[in-house]
Amino acid sequence: MNALQQAEEMGVHPRWAAIARLRYLKPLIAKAENALAKMTDLIEAGKGAEDINRVYLAYVSQANIDNLQAKLRRYQFEAQQLQDFLDGKKIKEKREFSPEELHMAKNTPIASLLGQTPKGPSKMVKCPFHEDKTASASVKTNRLHCFSGCRPKNGDKSWSPITLLMERDGMSFVDAVKLLLGGQP
């Protein structure tokens, strides 16, 4: 959690930081909820109106409502996590990745994760999931395909860089993506 981590880095007790952050968030949540209610009422009042200014105002307000709802959800999520921390509940880390970050993680060269150089026109490597005397897996389109010991009855088994780390190293999805992006899991 961001506020608690920052507090710890600055030498502030996490409980004090959580209380202070909650004091800051509660009025923001109340203000956002009130503004949301007023905007919704304004849009309802503008429906069916012939006055172009009211229609325009209602249209602009809908975009503002969407932004305000997203902000309110973030505030409420953080406030709930802080309250859970104060109540002694375990905090789950919420980590969302942008589409660009996921694209970068998925496109990490899988051969670099294997520590092997693919050989031959079929780009063969030894499968990391079972004992191989000779290469039984292929690296194509940045996926590892096993044609031997991992092959299920319904087809070949394959992994992306993310699923390779998840299965081989027992990582969670979030930790695997963090590692592929160059961070610490």
Side-chain angles (χ1 to χ4, degrees):
M1 175 172 291
N2 212 2
L4 297 180
Q5 289 171 346
Q6 289 174 348
E8 224 171 288
E9 289 173 5
M10 294 171 55
V12 176
H13 194 280
R15 275 191 85 67
W16 286 94
I19 292 168
R21 183 70 178 162
L22 272 173
R23 283 185 187 151
Y24 171 76
L25 286 173
K26 286 182 180 182
L28 287 178
I29 290 170
K31 186 177 178 182
E33 288 172 338
N34 288 337
L36 197 55
K38 286 179 184 176
M39 284 186 199
T40 305
D41 291 343
L42 183 63
I43 286 179
E44 287 301 315
K47 286 185 178 172
E50 293 181 19
D51 181 8
I52 192 70
N53 289 331
R54 287 180 102 182
V55 173
Y56 176 74
L57 185 59
Y59 173 76
V60 171
S61 294
Q62 184 59 54
N64 289 338
I65 284 176
D66 295 340
N67 291 336
L68 192 55
Q69 285 174 331
K71 193 180 288 189
L72 180 60
R73 281 192 300 271
R74 285 193 307 269
Y75 290 159
Q76 289 170 331
F77 178 80
E78 184 180 357
Q80 184 60 54
Q81 286 224 315
L82 290 167
Q83 191 60 55
D84 288 349
F85 170 76
L86 292 172
D87 294 341
K89 296 179 183 172
K90 185 176 179 180
I91 298 173
K92 292 182 181 176
E93 180 182 337
K94 181 182 179 187
R95 174 68 193 250
E96 295 179 7
F97 298 102
S98 69
E100 295 80 23
E101 288 175 315
L102 288 174
H103 180 75
M104 286 173 47
K106 288 177 186 174
N107 288 316
T108 301
I110 199 161
S112 68
L113 300 174
L114 297 170
Q116 304 176 49
T117 304
K119 295 185 169 85
S122 297
K123 299 184 179 181
M124 298 300 286
V125 294
K126 291 182 179 181
C127 181
F129 294 102
H130 58 85
E131 292 294 321
D132 260 352
K133 290 185 181 180
T134 59
S136 67
S138 175
V139 176
K140 290 188 180 172
T141 62
N142 207 36
R143 291 187 67 83
L144 174 68
H145 300 273
C146 180
F147 301 104
S148 184
C150 296
R151 186 176 183 157
K153 293 177 183 169
N154 61 351
D156 67 307
K157 176 75 177 184
S158 68
W159 300 267
S160 71
I162 297 171
T163 56
L164 175 72
L165 289 177
M166 289 172 65
E167 195 168 325
R168 183 188 70 187
D169 300 340
M171 292 183 163
S172 69
F173 175 82
V174 171
D175 287 344
V177 173
K178 280 184 188 176
L179 184 69
L180 291 171
L181 292 175
Q184 292 293 325

